[in-house]
Amino acid sequence: MTIRQLPPQLINQIAAGEVVERPASVVKELLENALDAGARRIDLDVDGGGIRRIQIRDDGGGIPRDELGLALSRHATSKIASLADLEAVGSLGFRGEALPSIASVSRLTLTSRAADAALAFALSSDGSDQIDEPKPAAHPPGTTVEVRDLFYNTPARRKFLRAEQTEFRHLEQVVKRIALSRFDIAMQLRHNQRASLRFDAADTRIGWEKRVAEVCGAPFIENAVFVDQAVGELRLWGWIAQPTFSRSQADMQYFYINGRMARDKLIGHAVRQAYQDVLYHGRHPAFVLYLELDPVLVDVNAHPTKHEVRFRDQRRVHDFLFSTVHRSLAEVRPGEGAPVPNIPGAQGRTPAYPGVSEDSGAPASGRYFVPQQGRISLPLREHIANYERLQVPRYQSGSSHDGTHAAAENAEDAPPLGFALAQLHGVFVLAQNARGLVLVDMHAAHERISYERLKTALDGDGIRSQPLLVPVSVAVSAREADVAERHAEDFLQLGMAVQRSGPETLRVRAVPTLLAQSDPAALVRDVLADLIADGRSTRLRESINEVLSTMACHGSVRANRRLTLPEMNALLRDMERTERSGQCNHGRPTWVQLDMAELDRLFLRGR
């Protein structure tokens, strides 16, 4: 077989296969170029979902006449000049392949006027390797790139494109993602001559949140917690949604590293771990987060599309992300500044509880949806002290029921969850606060309180081990045995004694007391799988937490159990003091708020 040099056009078309998958890919590359050029406003016009035409105009620095030809040449860029630049990339695009790759599979016109130039010049390409001389053109300072008939000269790839509306949805999503990366840039998108998206430049948090709401919807920002934490050269800021605002898909997760869109297994793992204790099974968290760090600490050249990244110190970044999100969720308690769960439907919105439609913004059944705790029938007696023995809260003027009612009437001075008024069907506590009515699922709330107390006690005493009468031998691969040997101390900290007894054999001599009834071999294999895949494992801790969660559930006040007003108020005060008290151990909400305006609307008052 003869070895031959490939022609430039074919080289560009092969490169296009890496970065140009569909119209959305073209828009991503061109938008990033506009941002790197210092644009403050970007206008996008597309026709036919971007298949027929894409035009992007910016008011950035522009391209001088004598550099227009280079802009369409491979491995030509203004963004890096040395290996040191490549190892600390601060721009979005830098490979020098996007424009020539796009030009090789379309009819492209590049028009630009440098900031200090008197005239603009235009350059056209029809997909061949021949580039005409730049010609004078009328254009303000900045650059316009027009891409027509994408993949017209590569029909095999064009046939893989979807319907116009499908391609436009992908393209629109890219615009939204990039709009979230730079709040200071004004952007506008038109499709088939009709306005689709418009984002005004913003330099305040109110303006940022308006843009986030435009992309993610108002319910997200209403149920989100603002995060801003810095440790050393790492900073994480942005918005994380309350666990009760979860999704059936991971479709509302936006993460940026130094302003660059990023998808990374390490990031996803850290955030999932932070939510694991509060999220309903099978649900996905929603967030808009920004990680800032020294560019030297992250390699953004790990993939041609530059979506995937590689951190120099993965463990440190993972632990920082996990601890920041985990702590932020834990610190959200009923009170000022915390998102208030509302009765779904009362304002045309609903948290994403199971059984509720996420897309319509209303319960799937068309009725108000209130999480209900069914009748609990457990053979175990309650382990945790009954609320009868709890002290009367300090907010009460006395221990009598009359005193409680008197305090409830003075709701303006009430604590965040107010004062208890009554109990509904032995399941819900009704309370009055300054905003209106609070409904509390007493079992779910007590379950979270009990669970957090058990975890705190366990952290204080440490994880106790139980020696096995007969050590268990586990057959593993040589690689797994090596990993187990290296992480023997990590196993011990989790209450598990694991020793290597042969090239491909491990011996388990002790297990955590709480997991004494578990299969030691299966536990070891699961932990080793995590260590090999992620460099860490939380499997044992998760298993222990599952046991604690079960104990908390069994030991919590049961449905249909009658509580006195002092007991109900004690429960409310405990909720205000307890981390993650907004949801039970399974991710269900523990309380909802119905304010006076919503109550008025329910009864058509003021109409």
Side-chain angles (χ1 to χ4, degrees), residues 2-307:
T2 304
I3 299 175
R4 62 177 64 87
Q5 183 75 42
L6 295 176
Q9 181 187 11
L10 182 56
I11 293 173
N12 285 336
Q13 290 176 341
I14 292 173
E18 295 182 333
V19 296
V20 184
E21 179 185 0
R22 60 195 336 153
S25 309
V26 174
V27 168
K28 172 187 176 296
E29 297 292 342
L30 297 183
L31 282 177
E32 290 181 344
N33 280 347
L35 293 176
D36 282 340
R40 304 295 297 178
R41 178 179 180 83
I42 304 174
D43 293 300
L44 300 86
D45 278 278
V46 301
D47 295 324
I51 301 171
R52 293 200 306 271
R53 173 176 170 267
I54 297 171
Q55 178 181 288
I56 296 183
R57 170 173 290 192
D58 69 65
D59 61 353
I63 305 173
R65 178 191 184 282
D66 57 353
E67 294 181 9
L68 282 174
L70 279 174
L72 296 183
S73 302
R74 294 189 71 231
H75 305 303
T77 180
S78 62
K79 299 163 188 175
I80 58 172
S82 66
L83 180 61
D85 294 336
L86 187 61
E87 291 178 344
V89 173
S91 58
L92 298 174
F94 56 87
R95 292 171 60 88
E97 292 179 353
L99 276 177
S101 296
I102 295 168
S104 70
V105 292
S106 67
R107 295 184 172 93
L108 183 144
T109 301
L110 175 62
T111 307
S112 190
R113 175 180 167 186
D116 56 352
L119 295 174
F121 290 86
L123 193 65
S124 297
S125 170
D126 61 358
S128 66
D129 56 354
Q130 299 297 321
I131 301 177
D132 298 331
E133 283 295 313
K135 298 177 181 179
H139 194 280
T143 301
T144 295
V145 181
E146 185 180 60
V147 177
R148 291 183 176 271
D149 303 327
L150 187 63
F151 299 138
Y152 83 97
N153 55 354
T154 52
R157 295 185 60 192
R158 188 180 178 98
K159 72 179 182 180
F160 283 100
L161 295 178
R162 304 300 181 186
E164 174 181 319
Q165 286 303 316
T166 301
E167 292 300 335
F168 180 70
R169 283 197 298 270
H170 286 284
L171 185 154
E172 189 179 42
Q173 185 61 28
V174 166
V175 175
K176 288 179 177 180
R177 285 186 173 273
I178 291 182
L180 286 181
S181 73
R182 290 285 299 274
F183 294 107
D184 59 329
I185 306 299
M187 299 179 68
Q188 180 174 279
L189 170 64
R190 290 167 54 87
H191 183 220
N192 294 336
Q193 309 304 312
R194 299 180 63 180
S196 176
L197 294 174
R198 179 187 177 90
F199 301 106
D200 296 324
D203 57 3
T204 65
R205 180 171 156 186
I206 293 176
W208 302 344
E209 292 185 347
K210 179 184 176 184
R211 182 173 293 195
V212 172
E214 289 171 344
V215 173
C216 301
F220 169 82
I221 207 69
E222 290 166 358
N223 289 276
V225 178
F226 185 73
V227 175
D228 192 349
Q229 179 71 31
V231 176
E233 67 273 19
L234 299 176
R235 180 193 178 200
L236 182 71
W237 66 278
W239 297 265
I240 55 176
Q242 283 282 73
T244 46
F245 185 85
S246 60
R247 308 285 294 176
S248 60
Q249 305 292 329
D251 60 346
M252 199 176 286
Q253 299 182 351
Y254 299 89
F255 197 93
Y256 301 86
I257 301 173
N258 291 340
R260 180 190 303 277
M261 295 185 294
R263 290 193 299 266
D264 186 83
K265 289 193 303 181
L266 179 141
I267 294 167
H269 185 269
V271 176
R272 283 196 307 274
Q273 290 297 113
Y275 271 90
Q276 70 171 359
D277 216 15
V278 291
L279 206 59
Y280 199 87
H281 179 69
R283 308 292 292 181
H284 298 269
F287 54 83
V288 178
L289 290 172
Y290 303 84
L291 177 64
E292 298 174 3
L293 72 167
D294 189 331
V296 173
L297 301 178
V298 58
D299 178 10
V300 298
N301 197 23
H303 192 273
T305 63
K306 299 185 288 294
H307 273 311

Side-chain angles (χ1 to χ4, degrees), residues 346 368 596-607:
Y368 293 130
M596 294 304 296
E598 291 168 323
L599 287 168
D600 286 343
R601 279 193 292 271
L602 287 175
F603 292 97
L604 305 181
R605 288 171 58 88
R607 294 192 181 182

Side-chain angles (χ1 to χ4, degrees), residues 1 131 146 174 258 265 324 377 386 429 510 572 590:
M1 185 175 292
I131 301 177
E146 185 180 60
V174 166
N258 291 340
K265 289 193 303 181
T324 300
S377 178
N386 292 332
V429 171
L572 298 178
T590 59

Side-chain angles (χ1 to χ4, degrees), residues 515-586:
L515 303 180
Q517 303 304 314
S518 302
D519 181 353
L523 278 176
V524 169
R525 290 194 179 97
D526 287 345
V527 172
L528 288 175
D530 290 341
L531 290 172
I532 292 173
D534 303 318
R536 74 199 70 242
S537 177
T538 57
R539 190 67 59 98
L540 282 175
R541 185 68 201 212
E542 290 171 11
S543 298
I544 291 171
N545 284 346
E546 287 177 7
V547 174
L548 296 182
S549 178
T550 301
M551 292 171 60
C553 182
H554 289 179
S556 298
V557 62
R558 302 178 184 182
N560 298 307
R561 157 81 182 282
R562 294 294 175 183
L563 300 182
T564 65
L565 284 173
E567 291 169 358
M568 287 186 262
N569 278 309
L571 175 63
L572 298 178
R573 302 295 80 78
D574 267 354
M575 290 176 65
E576 292 161 354
R577 290 190 292 264
T578 301
E579 294 181 346
R580 308 174 188 87
S581 62
Q583 53 282 318
C584 74
N585 313 346
H586 314 293

Side-chain angles (χ1 to χ4, degrees), residues 315 458-459 462-466 487-498 508 510-516 523-524 526-528 530-531 536-545:
R315 180 156 196 154
L458 180 65
D459 290 339
I463 299 176
R464 297 182 179 180
S465 296
Q466 177 174 311
H487 290 271
E489 188 62 31
D490 294 333
F491 276 102
L492 281 175
Q493 290 179 0
L494 292 169
M496 201 168 203
V498 180
V508 183
V511 296
T513 302
L514 288 171
L515 303 180
L523 278 176
V524 169
D526 287 345
V527 172
L528 288 175
D530 290 341
L531 290 172
R536 74 199 70 242
S537 177
T538 57
R539 190 67 59 98
L540 282 175
R541 185 68 201 212
E542 290 171 11
S543 298
I544 291 171
N545 284 346

